[in-house]
Amino acid sequence: MIKAQDKMIARRADTKARADFATWKMMAKLNGSSSLPAEALAFLSSYKGFLETMSETEASEATIGLIYNAYYAEMGGTGTPPDIKSVPKDPIVELDNVTAFKRPAPQQTQGKNSGTSPRPRLPAALIFVLLAAIYVGIRYYFFR
C-alpha cells in the first residue's frame, strides 16, 4: 500500500521530471546544452541511447522514468517509486445538479427603447465658464 506522502512525492517528482526533461530537450535543440548541469547532460545522453533502440515517444517516456526515479529518491520518497499511472488521483466530485454561472446581459443605457434616458452631461467648457464667473464675482465683491 502506498502512503499519502509517497503519492504526493511521486506526483511532484513526475511533474518535475517531465518539465525538466522538456526544458533540457529544448535547450539541446537550441544548442544551449553547454549551460546544462551534468546530471541533465547524463540524462540527455541516455535519451540519445534510447533513441537508437526505440521510437521517440518511448525514448522520452523511458528517460522521464529515469529522471522520475532520481527525483523521487531526492525528494525523500521511501522504497521503490510507485508507477505514477497506477497512483489513483484524488476523487473528482461530479456535480450534476449545479447550474452553470451565466453573467447577466449588459444593460444598454443609451438608446431610445431602454426606457430610462441617460443623465445629461455638462460640457467641460460650460463648467470652466461657470467657475470663471464665480471667481470674478468673488474677486469683485470682496476686493473692490
Side-chain angles (χ1 to χ4, degrees):
M1 184 146 139
I2 303 169
K3 294 184 205 174
Q5 182 180 4
D6 287 339
K7 287 181 192 178
M8 285 186 354
I9 292 172
R11 285 197 191 114
R12 281 188 302 168
D14 182 63
T15 303
K16 187 172 188 235
R18 290 183 184 282
D20 285 352
F21 178 68
T23 303
W24 298 338
K25 193 173 166 184
M26 185 57 64
M27 288 184 71
K29 282 184 181 178
L30 297 174
N31 294 327
S33 59
S34 61
S35 63
L36 290 174
E39 84 172 328
L41 294 174
F43 285 124
L44 284 175
S45 66
S46 66
Y47 171 69
K48 289 177 185 175
F50 287 140
L51 279 176
E52 294 173 3
T53 59
M54 52 183 85
S55 70
E56 184 178 353
T57 307
E58 293 171 335
S60 294
E61 284 300 315
T63 307
I64 289 170
L66 291 174
I67 300 168
Y68 164 67
N69 290 340
Y71 284 174
Y72 182 78
E74 272 181 28
M75 292 179 178
T78 56
T80 59
D83 184 20
I84 196 68
K85 292 176 180 120
S86 67
V87 174
K89 292 185 178 180
D90 295 332
I92 299 173
V93 179
E94 292 186 23
L95 302 173
D96 295 332
N97 61 350
V98 176
T99 306
F101 177 73
K102 294 180 183 176
R103 292 184 184 265
Q107 296 179 353
Q108 296 180 355
T109 56
Q110 297 176 352
K112 296 179 182 178
N113 296 335
S114 64
T116 60
S117 61
R119 200 169 81 174
R121 296 177 46 177
L122 246 50
L126 181 59
I127 294 172
F128 179 74
V129 169
L130 289 173
L131 286 174
I134 291 171
Y135 175 75
V136 170
I138 290 174
R139 184 153 177 110
Y140 178 75
Y141 183 71
F142 287 111
F143 302 107
R144 277 195 244 178

Coordinates of all heavy atoms in Angstrom, one line a residue, residues 37-74:
P37 N 23.3 21.4 -16.4 CA 24.1 20.8 -15.4 C 24.5 19.4 -15.8 O 24.0 18.8 -16.8 CB 23.1 20.7 -14.2 CG 21.8 20.9 -14.7 CD 21.9 21.7 -16.0
A38 N 25.4 18.8 -15.1 CA 26.0 17.5 -15.5 C 24.9 16.4 -15.5 O 24.9 15.5 -16.4 CB 27.1 17.1 -14.6
E39 N 24.0 16.4 -14.5 CA 23.0 15.4 -14.5 C 22.1 15.5 -15.7 O 21.6 14.5 -16.2 CB 22.2 15.4 -13.2 CG 21.1 16.4 -13.1 CD 20.2 16.3 -11.9 OE1 20.1 15.2 -11.3 OE2 19.7 17.3 -11.5
A40 N 21.8 16.7 -16.1 CA 20.9 16.9 -17.3 C 21.6 16.3 -18.5 O 21.0 15.6 -19.4 CB 20.6 18.3 -17.5
L41 N 22.9 16.6 -18.6 CA 23.6 16.0 -19.8 C 23.7 14.5 -19.8 O 23.6 13.8 -20.8 CB 25.1 16.6 -19.8 CG 25.1 18.1 -20.1 CD1 26.6 18.6 -19.9 CD2 24.6 18.4 -21.5
A42 N 23.8 13.9 -18.6 CA 23.8 12.5 -18.4 C 22.4 11.9 -18.9 O 22.4 10.9 -19.6 CB 24.1 12.1 -17.0
F43 N 21.3 12.5 -18.4 CA 20.0 12.1 -18.9 C 19.8 12.2 -20.4 O 19.2 11.4 -21.0 CB 18.9 12.8 -18.1 CG 18.8 12.3 -16.6 CD1 18.8 13.2 -15.6 CD2 18.5 11.0 -16.3 CE1 18.7 12.8 -14.3 CE2 18.4 10.5 -15.0 CZ 18.5 11.5 -14.0
L44 N 20.3 13.3 -20.9 CA 20.1 13.5 -22.4 C 21.0 12.5 -23.2 O 20.5 12.1 -24.2 CB 20.5 15.0 -22.8 CG 19.5 16.0 -22.4 CD1 20.1 17.4 -22.7 CD2 18.2 15.8 -23.1
S45 N 22.1 12.1 -22.6 CA 22.9 11.1 -23.3 C 22.2 9.7 -23.3 O 22.2 9.0 -24.2 CB 24.3 11.0 -22.8 OG 24.3 10.6 -21.5
S46 N 21.5 9.4 -22.1 CA 20.8 8.2 -22.1 C 19.6 8.3 -23.0 O 19.2 7.2 -23.6 CB 20.3 7.9 -20.6 OG 19.4 8.9 -20.2
Y47 N 19.0 9.4 -23.2 CA 17.9 9.6 -24.1 C 18.4 9.3 -25.5 O 17.7 8.6 -26.3 CB 17.3 11.1 -24.0 CG 16.3 11.4 -25.1 CD1 15.1 10.9 -25.1 CD2 16.7 12.4 -26.1 CE1 14.2 11.2 -26.1 CE2 15.8 12.7 -27.0 CZ 14.5 12.1 -27.0 OH 13.6 12.5 -28.0
K48 N 19.5 9.8 -25.9 CA 20.1 9.5 -27.2 C 20.3 8.0 -27.4 O 20.1 7.5 -28.5 CB 21.4 10.3 -27.4 CG 21.1 11.8 -27.6 CD 22.4 12.6 -27.8 CE 22.1 14.1 -27.8 NZ 23.3 14.9 -27.9
G49 N 20.8 7.4 -26.3 CA 20.9 5.9 -26.4 C 19.6 5.2 -26.6 O 19.5 4.2 -27.3
F50 N 18.6 5.7 -25.9 CA 17.3 5.0 -26.1 C 16.7 5.2 -27.5 O 16.0 4.4 -28.0 CB 16.3 5.6 -25.0 CG 16.4 5.2 -23.6 CD1 16.3 6.0 -22.6 CD2 16.8 3.8 -23.3 CE1 16.4 5.6 -21.3 CE2 16.9 3.4 -22.0 CZ 16.8 4.3 -21.0
L51 N 17.0 6.4 -28.1 CA 16.5 6.7 -29.4 C 17.1 5.7 -30.4 O 16.4 5.5 -31.5 CB 16.9 8.1 -29.8 CG 16.1 9.2 -29.3 CD1 16.6 10.6 -29.8 CD2 14.6 9.1 -29.8
E52 N 18.2 5.1 -30.2 CA 18.8 4.1 -31.1 C 18.0 2.8 -31.2 O 18.0 2.1 -32.2 CB 20.2 3.9 -30.8 CG 21.1 5.1 -31.0 CD 22.5 4.8 -30.5 OE1 22.8 3.7 -30.0 OE2 23.3 5.8 -30.5
T53 N 17.3 2.5 -30.0 CA 16.6 1.2 -30.0 C 15.1 1.3 -30.0 O 14.4 0.3 -30.1 CB 17.0 0.5 -28.7 OG1 16.7 1.3 -27.5 CG2 18.5 0.2 -28.7
M54 N 14.5 2.5 -29.8 CA 13.1 2.6 -29.7 C 12.6 3.9 -30.3 O 13.5 4.8 -30.7 CB 12.6 2.5 -28.3 CG 13.3 3.4 -27.2 SD 12.7 3.2 -25.6 CE 13.7 1.8 -25.0
S55 N 11.3 4.1 -30.4 CA 10.8 5.3 -31.0 C 11.0 6.5 -30.1 O 11.4 6.4 -28.9 CB 9.3 5.2 -31.3 OG 8.6 5.1 -30.0
E56 N 10.7 7.7 -30.6 CA 11.0 8.9 -29.8 C 10.1 9.0 -28.6 O 10.5 9.4 -27.5 CB 10.8 10.2 -30.7 CG 11.1 11.5 -30.0 CD 10.9 12.7 -30.9 OE1 10.7 12.6 -32.1 OE2 11.0 13.8 -30.4
T57 N 8.8 8.6 -28.8 CA 7.9 8.7 -27.6 C 8.3 7.7 -26.5 O 8.3 8.1 -25.4 CB 6.5 8.3 -28.1 OG1 6.1 9.2 -29.2 CG2 5.4 8.5 -27.0
E58 N 8.7 6.5 -26.9 CA 9.1 5.5 -25.9 C 10.4 6.0 -25.3 O 10.6 5.8 -24.1 CB 9.3 4.2 -26.6 CG 8.0 3.5 -27.1 CD 8.2 2.3 -27.9 OE1 9.3 2.2 -28.5 OE2 7.3 1.5 -28.0
A59 N 11.3 6.5 -26.1 CA 12.6 7.0 -25.5 C 12.3 8.1 -24.5 O 13.0 8.2 -23.5 CB 13.5 7.5 -26.6
S60 N 11.4 9.0 -24.9 CA 11.1 10.1 -23.9 C 10.5 9.6 -22.6 O 10.9 10.0 -21.5 CB 10.1 11.1 -24.6 OG 10.7 11.7 -25.7
E61 N 9.6 8.7 -22.7 CA 9.0 8.1 -21.5 C 10.0 7.3 -20.7 O 10.0 7.4 -19.4 CB 7.8 7.2 -21.9 CG 6.6 7.9 -22.3 CD 6.0 8.9 -21.2 OE1 6.0 8.5 -20.0 OE2 5.7 10.0 -21.5
A62 N 10.9 6.6 -21.3 CA 11.9 5.9 -20.6 C 12.9 6.8 -19.9 O 13.3 6.6 -18.7 CB 12.7 5.0 -21.5
T63 N 13.3 7.9 -20.5 CA 14.1 8.9 -19.9 C 13.4 9.6 -18.8 O 14.0 9.9 -17.7 CB 14.6 10.0 -21.0 OG1 15.2 9.3 -22.1 CG2 15.6 10.9 -20.4
I64 N 12.2 10.0 -19.0 CA 11.4 10.6 -17.9 C 11.3 9.7 -16.7 O 11.3 10.1 -15.6 CB 10.0 11.1 -18.4 CG1 10.1 12.2 -19.4 CG2 9.1 11.4 -17.3 CD1 8.9 12.6 -20.1
G65 N 11.2 8.4 -17.0 CA 11.1 7.4 -15.9 C 12.4 7.4 -15.1 O 12.4 7.3 -13.9
L66 N 13.6 7.5 -15.8 CA 14.8 7.6 -15.1 C 14.9 8.8 -14.2 O 15.4 8.8 -13.1 CB 16.0 7.5 -16.1 CG 16.2 6.2 -16.8 CD1 17.4 6.4 -17.9 CD2 16.6 5.1 -15.9
I67 N 14.5 9.9 -14.8 CA 14.6 11.2 -14.1 C 13.6 11.1 -12.9 O 14.0 11.6 -11.8 CB 14.2 12.4 -15.0 CG1 15.2 12.5 -16.2 CG2 14.2 13.7 -14.2 CD1 14.8 13.4 -17.3
Y68 N 12.4 10.6 -13.1 CA 11.4 10.4 -12.0 C 12.0 9.6 -10.9 O 11.8 10.0 -9.7 CB 10.2 9.8 -12.6 CG 9.2 9.2 -11.6 CD1 8.5 10.0 -10.7 CD2 9.0 7.8 -11.5 CE1 7.6 9.5 -9.8 CE2 8.1 7.3 -10.6 CZ 7.4 8.2 -9.8 OH 6.5 7.6 -8.9
N69 N 12.7 8.5 -11.2 CA 13.2 7.7 -10.1 C 14.3 8.5 -9.3 O 14.3 8.4 -8.1 CB 13.9 6.4 -10.7 CG 12.8 5.4 -11.2 OD1 11.7 5.5 -10.9 ND2 13.3 4.6 -12.1
A70 N 15.1 9.2 -10.0 CA 16.1 10.0 -9.3 C 15.5 11.1 -8.5 O 15.9 11.3 -7.3 CB 17.1 10.6 -10.3
Y71 N 14.5 11.8 -9.0 CA 13.8 12.9 -8.2 C 13.0 12.3 -7.0 O 13.0 12.9 -6.0 CB 12.9 13.7 -9.1 CG 13.6 14.6 -10.0 CD1 12.9 15.4 -11.0 CD2 15.0 14.9 -10.0 CE1 13.5 16.2 -11.9 CE2 15.6 15.8 -10.8 CZ 14.9 16.4 -11.7 OH 15.5 17.3 -12.6
Y72 N 12.4 11.2 -7.2 CA 11.7 10.5 -6.1 C 12.6 10.3 -4.9 O 12.2 10.5 -3.8 CB 11.0 9.3 -6.6 CG 10.1 8.6 -5.6 CD1 8.9 9.0 -5.3 CD2 10.6 7.5 -4.9 CE1 8.1 8.4 -4.4 CE2 9.8 6.8 -3.9 CZ 8.5 7.3 -3.7 OH 7.8 6.7 -2.7
A73 N 13.8 9.7 -5.2 CA 14.7 9.5 -4.2 C 15.2 10.8 -3.5 O 15.4 10.9 -2.3 CB 15.9 8.7 -4.7
E74 N 15.5 11.8 -4.4 CA 15.9 13.1 -3.9 C 14.9 13.7 -2.9 O 15.3 14.4 -2.0 CB 16.2 14.0 -5.0 CG 17.6 14.0 -5.6 CD 17.7 15.0 -6.7 OE1 17.1 16.1 -6.7 OE2 18.5 14.7 -7.6

